[in-house]
Amino acid sequence: ILAETQHGEYAGDKLHTALAKLDERSQEILKQRWLLDNKAETLHSLADKYQISAERVRQLEKNAMKKIIQSLVMQQIVYWMI
């Protein structure tokens, strides 16, 4: 159980590091869409908040997810090299 907890903390740290590399608006969009407990925002509500189209919110979300995945992959490659 301790190993699982440590692995979860390690994964959380890596995700936090990846999120920190995003611009503030992209961070907020991802947090509000995916990381809030039972309060996930819709594309349209975020579009209203940021005064952009829902399609633009979707694009920002997609690009942010792509950057996070790339960051996590790079962090894993560096880990394997050490």
Side-chain angles (χ1 to χ4, degrees), residues 24 27 55 75:
E24 187 176 336
Q27 286 180 29
E55 175 60 19
Q75 289 178 52

Side-chain angles (χ1 to χ4, degrees), residues 5-6 8-9 19 24 26 28 33 35 42 44 47-49 54 60 63 65 69 71 73 80-81:
T5 301
Q6 290 173 337
E9 290 173 3
L19 274 169
E24 187 176 336
S26 294
E28 288 302 314
R33 287 280 289 156
L35 300 177
T42 66
H44 293 287
D48 290 342
K49 178 178 181 177
L60 290 168
N63 290 336
M65 293 292 267
I69 290 168
S71 177
V73 168
W80 288 335
M81 294 175 68

Side-chain angles (χ1 to χ4, degrees), residues 2 7 21-23 28 33 38 40 42 44 47 54 60 65 68 70 75-76 78-79 81:
L2 182 58
H7 178 71
K21 294 179 181 180
L22 299 174
D23 62 273
E28 288 302 314
R33 287 280 289 156
N38 300 322
T42 66
H44 293 287
L60 290 168
M65 293 292 267
I68 284 178
Q70 290 171 341
Q75 289 178 52
Q76 190 62 39
V78 169
Y79 176 77
M81 294 175 68

Side-chain angles (χ1 to χ4, degrees), residues 45-59:
S45 65
L46 289 171
D48 290 342
K49 178 178 181 177
Y50 291 104
Q51 298 179 349
I52 57 178
S53 69
E55 175 60 19
R56 183 64 183 137
V57 173
R58 187 197 63 75
Q59 291 169 354

